[in-house]
Amino acid sequence: MAGFVSIRNLRKSYGSFEALRGIDLDVAKGEVVCIIGPSGSGKSTLIRCINRLEGSTRKRDPRGRHPVTTGRALARVRAEVGMVFQSFNLFPHLTVRENVMLAPRRVRRTTRADAAAQADRLLARVGISSQADKYPEHLSGGQQQRVAIARALAMEPQVMLFDEPTSALDPEMVGEVLDVMRDLARTGTTMIVVTHEMGFASQVADRVIFMDAGQIVEQGPPAQVLSDPKNHARAISWAPC
Ligand code: ADP
């Protein structure tokens, strides 16, 4: 049965280099999938293809329910998929609250009052209500990333994608962002997370996917993939980048 996200034989080339070499991936509603693997294995490319930041070289799946494979309009895809990047990419000239309000105002034509109320709810959810009127430059990296999560949630996406969301943070700020992501997972958010945080993956993921050289080489419950690797013995000692 096709999943909530359903991808078949996804391929992506940069020139003659094949970054993704035939990915099949189904993610169920409410499932948390963590993608791990050595640097350059295609994790980021995969997640960017899911968000259509990258066009795939070839894809086919008339059965898939998710916009990745059904060819709906790009704007619609983006509205259904929330993405959080390594770098927070907040708008520096907007306050924290305005950053969260922007997409609902522009894309959904939500009224200013409704968008502000929703932003305040989301900022409370990520634990930074008190920062709502500040500009991003006055926030710590961890706080900015939590705003970025709130901003992505504002479009009420069906799937949240995270591309190494804690890699750019000082170590002492990693925990606060992972806590927010834990809370999202606990409350049923469908999540696909590229991460080097093995503790997070082992505690929170329903499934861990190990990629190498553009392919999924192993997947399964965290305990199986992280502690009993079948295919990735040679890569198990990779250094987080
Ligand atoms: P990961 O996220 O696992 O570190 P990436 O998906 O970023 O890996 O990259 C996979 C491969 O594709 C790497 O070899 C990388 O150099 C290459 N790649 C990624 N983006 C581009 C691009 N825009 N142009 C050319 N090569 C790219």
Side-chain angles (χ1 to χ4, degrees):
M1 199 183 92
F4 195 58
V5 173
S6 188
I7 298 169
R8 289 291 173 279
N9 196 22
L10 176 65
R11 291 177 178 271
K12 174 69 185 175
S13 296
Y14 297 107
S16 60
F17 175 75
E18 262 199 310
L20 296 179
R21 301 190 295 141
I23 300 284
D24 291 335
L25 176 63
D26 288 294
V27 180
K29 187 168 171 32
E31 191 178 13
V32 178
V33 174
C34 285
I35 304 176
I36 63 171
S39 182
S41 57
K43 307 179 298 295
S44 182
T45 302
L46 171 57
I47 214 160
R48 290 167 62 85
C49 282
I50 295 173
N51 197 31
R52 291 278 184 96
L53 291 170
E54 297 281 2
S56 68
T57 311
R58 190 177 76 177
K59 53 184 176 294
R60 52 166 195 241
D61 179 25
R63 292 178 310 136
R65 281 177 43 212
H66 187 266
V68 167
T69 51
T70 57
R72 276 187 244 165
L74 191 58
R76 184 98 189 263
V77 174
R78 294 267 169 77
E80 293 183 7
V81 178
M83 179 120 182
V84 176
F85 301 87
Q86 183 175 338
S87 52
F88 329 119
N89 300 326
L90 298 175
F91 292 107
H93 62 290
L94 298 178
T95 66
V96 162
R97 183 186 290 107
E98 288 165 347
N99 264 279
V100 180
M101 291 169 60
L102 189 65
R105 292 275 291 148
R106 289 261 172 93
V107 180
R108 291 253 169 89
R109 305 280 170 213
T110 307
T111 65
R112 171 165 280 281
D114 285 351
Q118 183 203 32
D120 287 349
R121 276 196 308 277
L122 290 170
L123 291 171
R125 185 165 182 194
V126 300
I128 40 178
S129 296
S130 59
Q131 315 294 327
D133 294 313
K134 292 187 181 168
Y135 288 88
E137 65 177 331
H138 296 125
L139 269 56
S140 71
Q143 289 173 327
Q144 289 189 52
Q145 191 61 302
R146 287 189 279 154
V147 176
I149 293 172
R151 182 179 60 174
L153 291 171
M155 289 300 285
E156 298 171 346
Q158 296 187 40
V159 186
M160 284 285 284
L161 309 177
F162 295 85
D163 191 0
E164 299 193 21
T166 58
S167 298
L169 297 176
D170 292 337
E172 68 270 23
M173 294 172 188
V174 169
E176 65 191 69
V177 172
L178 293 181
D179 282 347
V180 168
M181 293 169 63
R182 258 190 207 100
D183 180 61
L184 292 180
R186 208 169 27 233
T187 51
T189 309
T190 308
M191 296 165 63
I192 305 176
V193 185
V194 174
T195 187
H196 292 292
E197 296 291 337
M198 294 305 135
F200 176 83
S202 68
Q203 289 162 14
V204 179
D206 297 305
R207 181 167 34 132
V208 173
I209 286 178
F210 186 87
M211 286 185 67
D212 195 15
Q215 292 183 311
I216 293 175
V217 294
E218 190 174 350
Q219 59 181 310
Q224 177 192 316
V225 176
L226 297 175
S227 60
D228 180 26
K230 290 188 176 62
N231 292 316
H232 62 271
R234 75 177 176 80
I236 198 65
S237 61
W238 84 88
C241 57

